[in-house]
Amino acid sequence: MAKNQNSFRTRLHSIALLNQLGPGLITGAADDDPSGIATYSQGGAQFGFNLLWTLLLTFPLMVSIQMVSALIGRVTGHGLAKNMGDVMPRPIVTTLVVLLFIANTINVGADLAAMGEAAKLVTGFGEHEFTIAFAFFSLMLQLFVSYRRYARFLTVLTFSLFAYVAVLFTLKLDWAAIGAGLIGLHPQLTNDAATTIVAIFGTTISPYLFFWQSAQEVEEVDQKPEEHALLDAPAEAPKQIARIKVDTISGMLISNLIAIAIMISTAATLNKAGVTDIQTAGQAARALEPIAGHFAFALFTLGIIGTGLLAIPVLAGSTGYAIAESRGWKSGLDNMPWQARGFYLVIGAAMVLGLGIDYSPLDPIKALYWSAVLNGVIAVPMMAAMMYVARHKQKMGAFRAGPVLGTLGWLSTLVMAAAAIAMIYVAVI
């Protein structure tokens, strides 16, 4: 009897934990998109286990800045672009949002191309056809599926990330070398390594994630009558802030663990076999097969498709939220297309223009690199504006970021500023 009661309590605790996971989990999972997979794969292939420490370093920075973005949305009931517009000159906000649109569109195109390549690796045909199909499926999902169903679908897709953890169980690993890499015993600070480190930071802390998580907190308020902006209902604060903490920490932890798994798997196979130049996620999967076996290859490849389906709506959706909020348009995934025309036109434009990259002479690898540069640059003023809002008494009232979160948030901003300077330096030199 006691055993059954304990089992029942365990199930209740598990259900309670799952109910606290949502925007933060999806945001963290979307960070491991196909372009991110390519970056982590290159880090593992070229430098073995020696850059694993970067992913431990980025974890507290990701948690702090994403928690700030989530709190701004939940406290004010408005997204980042609206709040930034209230504390910054409109031309500056408009410029930043346009740059976000360009960077996200390039990223959408690169991710769609990677998914098409992965599908071809599995089926043996139809790379461009699969790319179009993935784009159409994702767009229809955003246009015609209600927010609650859509959010559940994205949550289910996060499980595709564990394909990369499963790959580890197919490999023989040197845990001593992995441990040394995680604590930075051999940091590998060459010029090439510095470029990869910057790419890892730019891939891990991206502006589209800020806009998405904040907007999803606003969606939660708008779509659930029992929930309110914390400025309007302070009594809800203890429960909601605790949920945001659990949700954000869980999402960012999963994101970084998956990134570590990708870097370990490519380090243990490709680097060990002397394969050190990996530029796309599909290339990483293809190179993995003769070394790690067909099962590892299949898991890696299917993971690319799953993470792409998860990340593309986040990329396009965050662009829609940013532009719609900055222009004062109606926004939200629970609206039908005719109810929020501007919002959905932006999403559609990002998808169509991104798809066009697959058919253009533009090198997707160079496009990804420059989008990372752009993201790294625009992240800095966006993060600074976020931290200003988070400490703004009129905006946040009693829910201003405290000393711990405030310090970590500004530290994240300074780290990204250093990364942006390094990316510009590398691009110029």
Side-chain angles (χ1 to χ4, degrees):
M1 184 72 171
K3 184 178 179 181
N4 289 337
Q5 287 179 338
N6 288 336
S7 177
F8 179 68
R9 288 195 194 99
T10 300
R11 286 197 296 272
L12 285 179
H13 287 314
S14 299
I15 293 169
L17 176 62
L18 288 173
N19 285 336
Q20 295 184 70
L21 302 181
L25 176 65
I26 294 169
T27 303
D31 196 32
D32 294 322
D33 67 331
S35 62
I37 293 167
T39 301
Y40 304 134
S41 297
Q42 178 61 28
Q46 189 170 2
F47 303 103
F49 304 118
N50 293 331
L51 295 186
L52 287 172
W53 60 270
T54 59
L55 295 169
L56 289 188
L57 178 61
T58 56
F59 174 65
L61 307 181
M62 288 178 69
V63 169
S64 60
I65 205 67
Q66 290 301 144
M67 196 172 292
V68 166
S69 67
L71 282 172
I72 289 172
R74 175 59 66 162
V75 169
T76 66
H78 299 289
L80 285 185
K82 170 66 168 64
N83 282 293
M84 287 179 180
D86 291 342
V87 300
M88 295 174 66
R90 183 164 180 169
I92 294 177
V93 175
T94 300
T95 301
L96 291 174
V97 168
V98 169
L99 292 174
L100 177 75
F101 175 83
I102 295 169
N104 283 5
T105 299
I106 293 171
N107 217 329
V108 165
D111 283 355
L112 284 170
M115 293 163 66
E117 182 186 4
K120 183 181 179 181
L121 289 176
V122 174
T123 63
F125 64 89
E127 179 175 341
H128 290 303
E129 290 78 6
F130 276 117
T131 299
I132 294 172
F134 288 137
F136 180 79
F137 175 70
S138 180
L139 184 58
M140 290 303 102
L141 202 64
Q142 293 172 84
L143 290 175
F144 298 112
V145 177
S146 71
Y147 167 73
R148 294 186 188 185
R149 290 183 180 179
Y150 187 69
R152 284 198 295 268
F153 175 75
L154 292 182
T155 303
V156 170
L157 277 179
T158 62
F159 288 100
S160 65
L161 290 170
F162 290 97
Y164 300 110
V165 177
V167 170
L168 297 182
F169 290 96
T170 70
L171 306 174
K172 186 177 180 180
L173 301 174
D174 183 347
W175 289 106
I178 291 170
L182 286 169
I183 61 176
L185 284 184
H186 310 290
Q188 195 91 22
L189 298 178
T190 63
N191 287 339
D192 287 342
T195 303
T196 306
I197 290 168
V198 169
I200 290 170
F201 271 85
T203 298
T204 306
I205 304 175
S206 297
Y208 74 88
L209 301 175
F210 316 154
F211 284 91
W212 175 264
Q213 189 165 352
S214 183
Q216 294 312 290
E217 289 293 337
V218 177
E219 289 273 14
E220 293 287 322
V221 169
D222 290 344
Q223 304 308 324
K224 296 180 179 179
E226 70 276 11
E227 296 187 9
H228 309 85
L230 298 187
L231 286 177
D232 298 329
E236 295 178 16
K239 177 183 176 183
Q240 292 301 331
I241 291 174
R243 178 194 58 77
I244 286 171
K245 287 180 180 178
V246 172
D247 185 28
T248 304
I249 292 172
S250 299
M252 301 311 116
L253 180 62
I254 289 173
S255 173
N256 275 37
L257 287 176
I258 299 304
I260 288 171
I262 293 168
M263 197 176 288
I264 289 175
S265 63
T266 51
T269 53
L270 306 184
N271 178 265
K272 190 175 180 180
V275 180
T276 60
D277 186 19
I278 298 296
Q279 296 185 323
T280 70
Q283 193 179 30
R286 192 185 303 112
L288 204 64
E289 184 174 21
I291 302 166
H294 186 72
F295 183 62
F297 157 78
L299 285 172
F300 204 93
T301 305
L302 292 173
I304 293 170
I305 296 171
T307 57
L309 286 173
L310 173 65
I312 285 171
V314 175
L315 282 158
S318 64
T319 307
Y321 282 116
I323 292 180
E325 289 168 9
S326 69
R327 306 306 299 176
W329 301 341
K330 188 174 183 179
S331 63
L333 290 169
D334 216 50
N335 295 302
M336 288 292 101
W338 52 88
Q339 296 173 315
R341 290 185 179 89
F343 172 70
Y344 283 109
L345 279 173
V346 172
I347 289 176
M351 296 289 293
V352 172
L353 291 172
L355 187 61
I357 291 174
D358 192 43
Y359 291 90
S360 75
L362 187 66
D363 183 343
I365 302 305
K366 288 183 179 178
L368 267 179
Y369 176 77
W370 284 107
S371 71
V373 171
L374 192 56
N375 269 324
V377 171
I378 65 176
V380 179
M382 285 181 178
M383 291 167 75
M386 283 172 56
M387 293 311 303
Y388 182 72
V389 172
R391 290 290 300 161
H392 199 282
K393 189 171 183 179
Q394 280 186 310
K395 279 288 171 190
M396 300 293 285
F399 304 106
R400 289 181 296 169
V404 175
L405 184 59
T407 300
L408 284 172
W410 279 114
L411 178 61
S412 301
T413 306
L414 291 174
V415 169
M416 281 306 296
I421 292 168
M423 279 191 279
I424 293 170
Y425 175 81
V426 170
V428 171
I429 298 302

